[in-house]
Amino acid sequence: AMLTFRNSLSNDLLLKASNELCAERFKIWHNTPPAVTQRHGITYGDLTQDQLTKFKNVLQLFLSTEGYQKVNEITVLSEGFLNQIDPDFWSTNFYSIDMFGDPSTSGSWGFQLDGHHCAINFLVHGDKISMVPAFLGGEPVKETFNGTAFDIFRDERDLALSLYNGFS
């Protein structure tokens, strides 16, 4: 899936998003709004719909169904809601993709999805996968966008309330 995504990119986009695995950029992530701080790599806005679909296919393979739903709620629904309020500051198109190493030539490679409310670093080494560091946030966490209701941290909130309510 990653090779399919990489092969769909133009030479310019592939060059812009490709780094050595040992690049310092692999260690850099932040959650400042993309309109405030320039990110490395390519953005969702740089991609055609077909290329974005191919990248989201990669995410679906790396994340559980629930994890992918949460990332989608953050990057599409919550961000889309905010975009209606201030389109110059908030946009799904601002999420960036940076790739490290080459999965076709090495057993070790990685990629980063980076944006204000979602930053996840994936590292593949043989058949082992790490997803650290990872940051998931949301604002708003519960709303409706384009007719789709979302409640990003419902499970986490319910578990925390259950724990809290269990204390004497």
Side-chain angles (χ1 to χ4, degrees):
M2 179 54 86
L3 292 176
T4 299
F5 170 65
R6 289 172 62 95
N7 290 336
S8 76
L9 299 176
S10 68
N11 288 337
D12 288 342
L13 288 179
L14 187 59
L15 183 63
K16 187 175 177 185
S18 294
N19 306 277
E20 295 294 324
L21 186 58
C22 61
E24 188 67 24
R25 281 169 51 173
F26 196 48
K27 301 173 189 172
I28 299 172
W29 68 276
H30 53 85
N31 75 320
T32 55
V36 173
T37 306
Q38 181 67 24
R39 284 174 161 68
H40 297 290
I42 55 178
T43 66
Y44 277 14
D46 293 329
L47 304 177
T48 65
Q49 189 57 50
D50 182 61
Q51 291 167 329
L52 183 56
T53 298
K54 285 176 173 44
F55 178 72
K56 289 185 176 185
N57 288 340
V58 173
L59 286 178
Q60 286 179 314
L61 292 170
F62 276 81
L63 300 168
S64 66
T65 301
E66 296 82 5
Y68 180 77
Q69 178 181 341
K70 189 175 299 293
V71 167
N72 190 61
E73 288 177 349
I74 292 168
T75 62
V76 175
L77 300 177
S78 180
E79 200 76 27
F81 179 85
L82 290 172
N83 180 258
Q84 293 176 326
I85 297 167
D86 188 350
D88 293 327
F89 200 78
W90 304 107
S91 176
T92 295
N93 289 334
F94 294 159
Y95 279 83
S96 69
I97 303 162
D98 225 359
M99 299 179 290
F100 302 88
D102 185 345
S104 68
T105 61
S106 172
S108 298
W109 57 278
F111 67 100
Q112 180 183 75
L113 172 63
D114 193 17
H116 180 53
H117 290 122
C118 180
I120 309 174
N121 295 272
F122 299 88
L123 176 62
V124 177
H125 182 69
D127 62 353
K128 295 176 179 64
I129 299 170
S130 299
M131 289 178 33
V132 290
F135 169 78
L136 301 175
E139 178 189 342
V141 295
K142 184 177 181 181
E143 191 54 75
T144 299
F145 174 67
N146 279 350
T148 302
F150 61 91
D151 189 355
I152 300 169
F153 298 109
R154 174 185 53 249
D155 294 341
E156 292 84 351
R157 181 188 59 241
D158 291 350
L159 283 170
L161 288 172
S162 177
L163 175 65
Y164 177 80
N165 289 328
F167 291 133
S168 59

